[in-house]
Amino acid sequence: MVRIKQIEREQVLEQTKTRLFQAAAQEFARAGYSDANINMISTNAGFAKGTIYNYFPSKRALLLALIDTSAKQHFNFIVDRVGVIPDPRKRMEMFYQAGFDYVSQNLAAARVMFNTINGPDVTLKAHIFEVYQPLFQFVADQILNLGIEQGVFEQVDTASMALLLMTIYLGTASQLDLDGRPWLDPNQIVDLVLNGLQKKEATSGDHD
Amino acid sequence: MVRIKQIEREQVLEQTKTRLFQAAAQEFARAGYSDANINMISTNAGFAKGTIYNYFPSKRALLLALIDTSAKQHFNFIVDRVGVIPDPRKRMEMFYQAGFDYVSQNLAAARVMFNTINGPDVTLKAHIFEVYQPLFQFVADQILNLGIEQGVFEQVDTASMALLLMTIYLGTASQLDLDGRPWLDPNQIVDLVLNGLQKKEATSGDHD
Amino acid sequence: MVRIKQIEREQVLEQTKTRLFQAAAQEFARAGYSDANINMISTNAGFAKGTIYNYFPSKRALLLALIDTSAKQHFNFIVDRVGVIPDPRKRMEMFYQAGFDYVSQNLAAARVMFNTINGPDVTLKAHIFEVYQPLFQFVADQILNLGIEQGVFEQVDTASMALLLMTIYLGTASQLDLDGRPWLDPNQIVDLVLNGLQKKEATSGDHD
Amino acid sequence: MVRIKQIEREQVLEQTKTRLFQAAAQEFARAGYSDANINMISTNAGFAKGTIYNYFPSKRALLLALIDTSAKQHFNFIVDRVGVIPDPRKRMEMFYQAGFDYVSQNLAAARVMFNTINGPDVTLKAHIFEVYQPLFQFVADQILNLGIEQGVFEQVDTASMALLLMTIYLGTASQLDLDGRPWLDPNQIVDLVLNGLQKKEATSGDHD
DNA sequence: TATGAATGAGAGTTCATTCAT
DNA sequence: AATGAATGAACTCTCATTCAT
């Protein structure tokens, strides 16, 4: 009985945190970190203004926790969809498609991430790169390297190419109109990228 | 005589504005719009905090003026270098190289632009796209279309492809380390993009 | 049976209050009344923040109860040691020695008292003087008056001199270094005071 | 002309600081450091709440500046009156009298000093002792040592005795009723102290 | 009796902007 | 045109207290 109550309480706490994260994502997305209003986050989450500090010691800690949580979801969302596909080219295609899907399904969280990664605070930016390391690795190993091994992608340095592909993803997926619809077509990006990576037969395609 | 004084006065005014823009770029780049400190801008520009309001009616107006000025310089910098080259593929190469060069030579202004375009304020974001229209047009007409006409680029929709290429430029060129050095190699981007755009001979390059 | 349980319960309650007083003394001594943290007191006493309100209706009530308890202990500590000595001069000596000993053995509680008596809250200050009345009386009657009756102290107004001697005690004993060691030597104080009170033989000791 | 305006402006600034110090002294005396209300200080000084931060970077900095200023005035007040007197015993008498006079003429500042020196913040306490060093030195050199050299005071360690006499001064002068009148008579203190310090003729004054 | 999540008034501090000089 | 003292709204964060469990 006591055990059950304990578990129930923890569940309620978890739910409360989730509500907080949602409200925080909305507010950080709306206004950016500096102009985000802690009071408004609390209120939108259904609390009094002080309550937020029972969960996070500061506005910044809240943002960091939100980023960490979002990054994990982002990673899982993409990997779950990409990982089940055998063909490396299709994997690449799915990487961008799933990525764009994640953004449209998690608009607020995605916007917070995009804002933060391009914002002026270098510490936050570094933090984001840290938590996105697994996704970098995944692109390098499970997409690029797979394709190179199978001879469908050119021999490229997987690390730097993964960085470029991720940057293209982040740069393109972050361009949204007011309703959160992307300006760019993921298929177009995929075309460009797959053409760019495609293994040339015997001919040399140098441009210099 | 009066005429000369008039001209002198205007020159001083211009110089003052330039100093203001430099200081503003530094500060906006350092801290972002919200956390930028008007007082610090004034001081770094070499005068008292109130003086700034003799030149711009508000912090926001200063930012907008800075963006407009920077965008023109950005445009000229790139077009001056790209426009003199005949070959479309070389033009594309120079577009990215000049773009990266502009960033490293105008770090603060470039950072302000990157921060703003990815920041939460949609009005500012829209403003940036407005002032960058000429560059969009230039990429579409003077690089892409030129290459298509000459048969070196695939038949693509120049408008949407220009948007994609610009987005890739903005996304990649904005990734800088603390010292302002880019993380990504423009040559690698150029390779990918030129491969991606390259006209396929007779074969079909479908991936579906 | 019921009786025994009743007694047990009261003992537990007493122990809990003692733990609370210790934690409260530490915290009030560390930070002063205003900055003392009720939550920290609860935690250090070994229970949750709300529990404290089952024992005391407010932070202030806790401080007052602590002061009352401490004052009684302070009084008993001194009187137990002074009362058994017959000679008035030795009594005076023991008063300061025991007083300093009490401070070093009850650092936290003593500090709370010193802070409060010198603090800005006049109500609290008045309360302290009230609870220290017995000690004032003791100094006046059982030390000063005894010495006057035995002809070893000058004829002085016992009430005002007791106030002065107590003030000197409070003023000197409250000066402690960070480790709680007194800066001043009680013997030096005793010397000064005993010399000062000493009955002059036949000569007149006027100073004007 | 410009020079004069410059001077005028500095005078106004000085006056403003003085007003601020007065208001701050009142408020710190009323409520102690922690409960002192910055807003109330500003208002009582005749400002809006933010203005105070044009003069001092924080509440604490304001307190420290106030203490420094007060300590200098306190020192000058006493030294001006004591220094002109030749006789060491009269000097001692004047030390306590002038000290008590200073308190009644500068109630708020004195209260702030007393509260702070006995308050829980050890850093502040240390700061006070630092700024009161000159007065310690004065008592040791210009009162005690003078008396010893002239053979009117017992041979005592001037440093520790000065500390004791200062502590007695601070302890006794800080006991004021609500209207700021001292509870203790400085003459009584002087009597005790002078008797205590008086050189014994040929007899031995041991008490052990 | 014990718990600790929730409350919300209130604190110190910041800073874009104003305006008399 | 230049100054910088003054303004005050708005912000983040603290914490004594309450109360449902």
Side-chain angles (χ1 to χ4, degrees), chain C residues 31-32 34-35 89 115 118 120 122 125 129 160-161 164 167 171 175 178 183 188-189 191-192 195-196 200 207, chain D residues 31-32 34-35 89 115 118 120 122 125 129 160-161 164 167 171 175 178 183 188-189 191-192 195-196 200 207:
Chain C
S34 294
D35 290 343
R89 289 169 58 90
N115 288 176
N118 289 294
V122 289
K125 185 167 183 158
F129 270 93
S160 67
M161 183 54 79
L164 174 54
T167 307
Q175 302 310 321
L178 288 174
W183 290 352
Q188 193 184 18
I189 303 165
D191 274 354
L192 188 81
N195 274 348
K200 309 297 172 306
H207 64 90
Chain D
S34 293
D35 289 344
R89 291 170 56 91
N115 288 176
N118 290 294
V122 289
K125 185 167 184 159
F129 269 93
S160 66
M161 182 54 78
L164 174 55
T167 307
Q175 302 310 320
L178 288 174
W183 291 352
Q188 193 183 18
I189 302 165
D191 275 353
L192 188 79
N195 274 347
K200 310 298 173 303
H207 62 92

Side-chain angles (χ1 to χ4, degrees), chain A residues 188 191 195, chain B residues 144-161 196-200:
Chain A
Q188 193 183 18
D191 275 353
N195 275 347
Chain B
L144 280 177
N145 203 41
L146 189 72
I148 293 170
E149 284 176 348
Q150 297 191 8
V152 296
F153 292 156
E154 282 266 23
Q155 291 276 356
V156 293
D157 177 55
T158 54
S160 67
M161 183 54 80
L197 287 173
Q198 186 178 230
K199 180 142 193 170
K200 309 297 171 305

Side-chain angles (χ1 to χ4, degrees), chain D residues 127-194:
Chain D
H127 183 80
I128 298 236
F129 269 93
E130 210 177 304
V131 295
Y132 272 93
Q133 271 309 314
L135 193 50
F136 275 80
Q137 280 306 323
F138 182 81
V139 172
D141 298 342
Q142 303 302 320
I143 305 183
L144 280 177
N145 202 41
L146 189 73
I148 293 170
E149 284 176 350
Q150 298 191 6
V152 296
F153 292 157
E154 282 266 25
Q155 291 276 357
V156 291
D157 177 57
T158 54
S160 66
M161 182 54 78
L163 187 56
L164 174 55
L165 295 180
M166 273 293 290
T167 307
I168 289 177
Y169 164 53
L170 295 174
T172 53
S174 64
Q175 302 310 320
L176 309 163
D177 66 21
L178 288 174
D179 302 323
R181 270 185 295 269
W183 291 352
L184 296 161
D185 177 9
N187 291 321
Q188 193 183 18
I189 302 165
V190 169
D191 275 353
L192 188 79
V193 163
L194 284 182

Side-chain angles (χ1 to χ4, degrees), chain B:
Chain B
M1 267 287 274
V2 173
R3 197 100 195 192
I4 288 173
K5 283 217 168 171
Q6 176 76 15
I7 288 169
E8 267 175 16
R9 185 181 294 169
E10 279 172 8
Q11 282 181 339
V12 168
L13 220 142
E14 245 1 85
Q15 284 177 3
T16 312
K17 273 203 175 180
T18 304
R19 257 162 56 213
L20 247 174
F21 278 148
Q22 283 172 346
Q26 294 289 343
E27 179 65 3
F28 284 132
R30 181 191 68 80
Y33 176 67
S34 294
D35 289 344
N37 189 318
I38 275 276
N39 190 16
M40 198 155 279
I41 295 177
S42 296
T43 305
N44 287 344
F47 34 62
K49 60 177 12 159
T51 307
I52 214 167
Y53 290 91
N54 291 332
Y55 293 86
F56 300 98
S58 70
K59 186 179 173 182
R60 185 168 244 261
L62 171 59
L63 175 65
L64 288 171
L66 172 65
I67 285 172
D68 290 357
T69 303
S70 301
K72 279 189 198 113
Q73 291 174 347
H74 200 166
F75 176 77
N76 290 335
F77 189 100
I78 290 176
V79 168
D80 285 353
R81 283 156 182 74
V82 172
V84 295
I85 296 175
D87 177 40
R89 290 169 57 92
K90 297 273 181 198
R91 280 197 169 193
M92 183 68 79
E93 193 178 346
M94 182 51 86
F95 169 68
Y96 283 98
Q97 275 173 3
F100 273 68
D101 283 350
Y102 172 81
V103 171
S104 51
Q105 289 172 37
N106 300 272
L107 248 192
R111 272 181 165 143
V112 172
M113 200 264 287
F114 294 140
N115 288 176
T116 311
I117 209 172
N118 289 295
D121 188 318
V122 289
T123 316
L124 288 179
K125 184 166 184 160
H127 183 81
I128 298 236
F129 269 93
E130 210 177 303
V131 295
Y132 272 92
Q133 271 310 313
L135 193 50
F136 275 79
Q137 282 305 324
F138 182 80
V139 172
D141 298 344
Q142 303 302 319
I143 304 184
L144 280 177
N145 203 41
L146 189 72
I148 293 170
E149 284 176 348
Q150 297 191 8
V152 296
F153 292 156
E154 282 266 23
Q155 291 276 356
V156 293
D157 177 55
T158 54
S160 67
M161 183 54 80
L163 186 56
L164 175 54
L165 294 180
M166 271 294 287
T167 307
I168 289 177
Y169 165 52
L170 296 175
T172 53
S174 64
Q175 302 309 322
L176 308 165
D177 67 20
L178 288 175
D179 301 323
R181 271 186 294 269
W183 291 352
L184 297 162
D185 177 10
N187 290 323
Q188 193 183 19
I189 302 165
V190 168
D191 274 353
L192 188 80
V193 163
L194 285 182
N195 273 347
L197 287 173
Q198 186 178 230
K199 180 142 193 170
K200 309 297 171 305
E201 300 310 318
T203 62
S204 64
D206 69 320
H207 63 92
D208 207 327

Side-chain angles (χ1 to χ4, degrees), chain C residues 127-157:
Chain C
H127 184 80
I128 297 235
F129 270 93
E130 211 178 304
V131 296
Y132 272 92
Q133 271 310 313
L135 193 51
F136 275 79
Q137 281 306 323
F138 181 82
V139 172
D141 298 343
Q142 303 301 320
I143 304 184
L144 280 177
N145 202 41
L146 189 73
I148 293 169
E149 284 175 350
Q150 296 191 7
V152 296
F153 292 156
E154 281 266 24
Q155 290 278 355
V156 292
D157 177 57

